[in-house]
Amino acid sequence: MKVFKFGGASVKEADAVKNVGEVIKLHTDDLVVVISAMGKTTNGLERVVESYLNKDGKAQENLQLIKDFHFTILNDLFDDKNHPIFNEIHNTFVEIEWEIEEEPSREYDYIYDQIVSVGELLSTKIVSAYLNNVGIVNTWQDVRDIIQTDNTHRNAKVDWDLTEELIQKVVSPELKKETQSIIITQGFIGSSSELFTTTLGREGSDFSAGILAYCLQAESVTIWKDVPGMLNADPKWFDDTTKLDNISYHEAVELAYYGASVIHPKTIKPLHNKNIPLHVKSFVSPNNEGTLINENTQDDSLVPSFIFKMNQVLISISAKDYSFVMEDSLSHIFGIFSQYGVSINLMQNSAISFSVCVDFDQQKTPQLIDELKKSYKVLYNGDLELVTIRHYDQKTIDRVTLKKEILVEQKSRQTARFVMK
Ligand code: ASP
Ligand code: MG
């Protein structure tokens, strides 16, 4: 059996959903198909949560936008307006409408998970019903019956043993049937032992595919994307991108770590542990090869990769009395970053200062800087870019640093990184 994953862009409108059906039809294997929320639904649901908790009176209105979006897709997919799916989707919305009429009674992260998880329930119900309607027989599986997590809402940790046991019990019998089995399920969400819905962190659907593949010992995982595979740079910045045909798990983790956004970094580990190959392929040209990620390490260095992060801030921290920044202050500084939930993209230290490059965040960055200023002398520089080149040479460095002022430069054997203006 194989695991497929379709992200938000691959189900963002009726034609996209129809295309998912075309891609599935090309395969005769047993399939577990993991699907994200449609288009930008997760962002929309996050706005519903914000409005609900900030009591700005816009929660119902924000929810209505999401409802209209889904009903437009439904209307385009189903000629028969009496199909039971219309009622089912309507009822799913009614549940949140009721919820946001009540006063919030629990903490932010819990409420977030209960509301935002609905995006994946809606998308999978619609896709499953559509596929059955056009003769692609499938079973809808509530992933909360199989992926068990702890109760760290918004960033739940998987209980691997229990999840494996549940997946074997619930999913395997369906796959054992003689005919092709197609199981449609949700990415991103899971269930705590108290049976409340949890989420695995934004962009977590890739990871869900990794979890299912690991527990089912899948033959392979395919992530279907709107790009031909993993490219050596984001086409937003380069018009002459090259597809990486075959890279190792290690290289994929490195690229994801430095910010290549094609696959969620957590996805690789479970696949690597069981040596399950990962394909990244285009849902527009599903017969093309795409990128293969597996154990192979031969080809990693054939094509240099470029990862751009814009809107960076370089924060330079030193002791108020010019004393050395020692281990004690470093652990204090890291504590502050973690307290404000700011992740560090690059760091560098000198005798008297410690510099960190982070994504600029309207909310978090100024607060973080104020907190640091209580104990240290802090200087910062905004509006910068951070460029990482894997498998660099002088030519590739010249290409990205041309006419730029370099503030920080770091090189290791395979990787060169520049913070520039
Ligand atoms: N729908 C979720 C998100 O947008 C999960 C995913 O797409 O991977 O973050
Ligand atoms: Mg079967």
Side-chain angles (χ1 to χ4, degrees):
M1 58 79 51
K2 293 179 175 166
V3 174
F4 281 4
K5 184 258 169 170
F6 289 95
S10 57
V11 286
K12 66 173 185 201
E13 58 199 9
D15 281 345
V17 174
K18 291 178 185 168
N19 183 62
V20 168
E22 295 305 315
V23 173
I24 290 177
K25 271 203 266 177
L26 295 172
H27 300 83
T28 51
D29 319 80
D30 283 345
L31 299 175
V32 172
V33 182
V34 175
I35 304 178
S36 305
M38 294 179 146
K40 303 262 177 250
T41 299
T42 305
N43 294 341
L45 287 165
E46 284 186 342
R47 283 193 285 276
V48 174
V49 176
E50 296 307 323
S51 293
Y52 173 48
L53 293 179
N54 294 334
K55 303 198 167 93
D56 67 5
K58 293 216 173 86
Q60 296 288 0
E61 188 182 315
N62 283 330
L63 185 63
Q64 188 61 41
L65 294 172
I66 301 169
K67 194 169 171 180
D68 294 345
F69 171 68
H70 284 84
F71 273 95
T72 302
I73 295 179
L74 269 183
N75 276 311
D76 289 345
L77 288 175
F78 293 86
D79 293 332
D80 173 10
K81 308 301 174 205
N82 292 319
H83 191 287
I85 186 68
F86 284 89
N87 242 328
E88 196 173 343
I89 297 303
H90 177 77
N91 292 340
T92 310
F93 276 104
V94 168
E95 275 175 46
I96 327 181
E97 283 161 8
W98 283 348
E99 204 166 315
I100 60 181
E101 266 165 28
E102 304 282 318
E103 276 295 299
S105 61
R106 283 192 58 174
E107 76 283 3
Y108 179 91
D109 290 352
Y110 169 85
I111 292 171
Y112 177 101
D113 281 359
Q114 310 319 303
I115 294 179
V116 171
S117 58
V118 170
E120 269 66 14
L121 296 171
L122 291 166
S123 70
T124 51
K125 283 180 181 173
I126 294 173
V127 175
S128 171
Y130 165 77
L131 294 176
N132 277 323
N133 202 40
V134 297
I136 304 172
V137 179
N138 70 90
T139 321
W140 183 84
Q141 172 68 50
D142 190 330
V143 84
R144 295 170 299 181
D145 293 339
I146 51 182
I147 295 186
Q148 278 283 322
T149 69
D150 69 359
N151 59 8
T152 317
H153 287 286
R154 291 187 69 191
N155 190 20
K157 302 287 167 299
V158 176
D159 179 336
W160 286 93
D161 291 338
L162 192 52
T163 297
E164 196 161 8
E165 197 183 307
L166 287 167
I167 289 180
Q168 290 295 340
K169 198 165 85 194
V170 178
V171 183
S172 296
E174 176 63 34
L175 295 174
K176 287 211 181 80
K177 292 183 185 159
E178 281 298 318
T179 50
Q180 181 190 21
S181 315
I182 300 174
I183 294 168
I184 305 286
T185 197
Q186 305 81 47
F188 179 54
I189 73 177
S191 165
S192 68
S193 52
E194 299 96 7
L195 301 181
F196 289 118
T197 306
T198 55
T199 62
L200 305 170
R202 284 302 307 264
E203 309 297 329
S205 294
D206 291 354
F207 182 40
S208 305
I211 298 167
L212 289 159
Y214 176 94
C215 295
L216 288 163
Q217 186 72 58
E219 194 181 316
S220 66
V221 173
T222 306
I223 297 183
W224 295 96
K225 309 260 331 174
D226 54 2
V227 287
M230 270 185 95
L231 303 176
N232 75 324
D234 188 327
K236 211 160 48 186
W237 313 116
F238 276 11
D239 34 344
D240 58 338
T241 54
T242 309
K243 179 167 71 72
L244 307 171
D245 295 332
N246 182 201
I247 56 171
S248 65
Y249 296 115
H250 178 133
E251 183 70 9
V253 170
E254 294 275 0
L255 292 173
Y257 169 79
Y258 290 123
S261 53
V262 177
I263 32 177
H264 191 284
K266 276 192 192 165
T267 316
I268 304 293
K269 185 174 180 255
L271 301 182
H272 173 241
N273 288 356
K274 290 215 174 158
N275 210 353
I276 300 168
L278 170 62
H279 298 271
V280 180
K281 286 182 151 202
S282 158
F283 58 69
V284 186
S285 331
N287 289 314
N288 292 0
E289 271 310 313
T291 298
L292 168 61
I293 299 158
N294 60 3
E295 199 56 75
N296 164 59
T297 50
Q298 317 259 308
D299 301 344
D300 286 355
S301 58
L302 294 183
V303 181
S305 289
F306 300 84
I307 300 140
F308 292 82
K309 277 182 174 280
M310 302 314 212
N311 208 5
Q312 300 291 298
V313 194
L314 186 67
I315 308 172
S316 187
I317 307 154
S318 51
K320 285 185 168 156
D321 59 0
Y322 283 91
S323 63
F324 287 81
V325 175
M326 297 295 279
E327 284 71 9
D328 282 351
S329 12
L330 283 184
S331 91
H332 179 231
I333 292 169
F334 283 133
I336 296 174
F337 276 83
S338 123
Q339 184 193 332
Y340 285 86
V342 175
S343 36
I344 296 174
N345 296 329
L346 169 143
M347 55 192 165
Q348 175 145 304
N349 65 321
S350 74
I352 54 160
S353 84
F354 178 60
S355 304
V356 214
C357 185
V358 300
D359 294 344
F360 176 75
D361 180 310
Q362 199 111 42
Q363 299 280 319
K364 293 177 186 170
T365 316
Q367 286 181 10
L368 171 89
I369 290 174
D370 284 346
E371 183 67 35
L372 287 167
K373 275 185 175 164
K374 290 183 189 159
S375 319
Y376 305 96
K377 201 172 115 197
V378 181
L379 298 168
Y380 58 92
N381 235 311
D383 222 0
L384 306 174
E385 49 190 276
L386 167 63
V387 183
T388 304
I389 314 173
R390 285 283 288 168
H391 315 294
Y392 63 92
D393 59 14
Q394 197 51 49
K395 220 174 95 197
T396 51
I397 291 177
D398 292 345
R399 174 171 183 176
V400 297
T401 58
L402 183 74
K403 293 189 190 145
K404 301 278 181 185
E405 182 195 335
I406 299 173
L407 283 82
V408 178
E409 171 171 346
Q410 279 183 358
K411 282 183 190 165
S412 63
R413 229 151 37 92
Q414 303 293 353
T415 310
R417 312 189 77 196
F418 303 91
V419 180
M420 316 184 293
K421 221 190 215 138

